Amino acid sequence: MILLSDPRISAIPLGEVGEPLVDLRTVAELRVDDRLADPRGAYAHLREDAVRRLLAAQRSLPDGLRLLVVEAYRPLSLQQRYFSGYQDELRSRYPQWDPSRLHVEASKYVSPPSVAPHSTGGTVDLTLVDASGREVDMGTAVNDSPVASGNACFTAAAQIAPAARHSRYVLGAALRAAGFVNYPTEWWHWSYGDRYWALQTRAAQTRYGPVDLP
């Protein structure tokens, strides 16, 4: 398993195709949850081609299932706050860990800001809902940490129920076919065009670099 703290990630050159961010709340076919809503609506923005791919993934889902977007774009300032906060939580729980260990363990749940996928606008956290809009059981809640979930948040976790494992497979099959890649410690985290995507697809560089919300 390659983590976002791995030097191979930061070594990937940044490219930028200049695609705009699209407000997913204006895309009628998609459902956007507001649990992480911010005043500027940053959480609901995604790059143009990533939106097209997200729609393709949704169209390929079995009848009765739809995607529910929880968070897409995340400003670097917020990414830094999340990463530092989770490091502080781990430091309090595991005072014997040295700074290097803290950095690696934190990256299982929050990306180091220097390589943050969400800040490129090409990454999305999402889950499945049924025809009535209820979230499907995926084995853990979106954004459950490795510590809190006993690593059940890992995409390939063996300790979840068979039905939840099947739902993760259905979600993953649709998103992979549309060109997204998964971060293996978070079943809900899928990206296109960022450094992790470049690593997994063996692209020479990223499609997207860090971007600011207009």
Side-chain angles (χ1 to χ4, degrees), residues 31 57-68 127-137 167 170:
R31 294 189 179 187
Q58 177 160 275
R59 294 184 195 111
S60 74
L61 290 171
D63 289 344
L65 291 177
R66 291 185 65 181
L67 300 174
L68 179 67
T127 187
L128 292 173
V129 293
D130 62 20
S132 66
R134 292 177 300 184
E135 290 187 41
V136 172
D137 178 13
S167 294
V170 169

Side-chain angles (χ1 to χ4, degrees), residues 143-155:
N143 288 330
D144 264 0
S145 71
V147 171
S149 70
N151 291 341
C153 62
F154 286 23
T155 307

Side-chain angles (χ1 to χ4, degrees), residues 48-77:
E48 191 173 57
D49 193 27
V51 175
R52 286 194 289 266
R53 292 170 182 276
L54 204 58
L55 289 168
Q58 177 160 275
R59 294 184 195 111
S60 74
L61 290 171
D63 289 344
L65 291 177
R66 291 185 65 181
L67 300 174
L68 179 67
V69 174
V70 175
E71 186 181 23
Y73 174 69
R74 186 185 297 159
L76 274 172
S77 58

Side-chain angles (χ1 to χ4, degrees), residues 16-34:
E16 177 55 66
V17 297
E19 283 176 17
L21 289 165
V22 175
D23 189 338
L24 299 176
R25 296 169 297 181
T26 68
V27 182
E29 301 96 317
L30 293 173
R31 294 189 179 187
V32 182
D33 186 88
D34 64 0

Side-chain angles (χ1 to χ4, degrees), residues 12 23 41 44 87 93 156 188 199 202:
I12 294 171
D23 189 338
Q87 279 191 311
R93 186 184 288 263
W188 57 84
L199 177 84
R202 300 187 178 183

Side-chain angles (χ1 to χ4, degrees), residues 11-15 197-198 201-206:
I12 294 171
L14 288 175
W197 168 87
T201 63
R202 300 187 178 183
Q205 62 181 19
T206 69

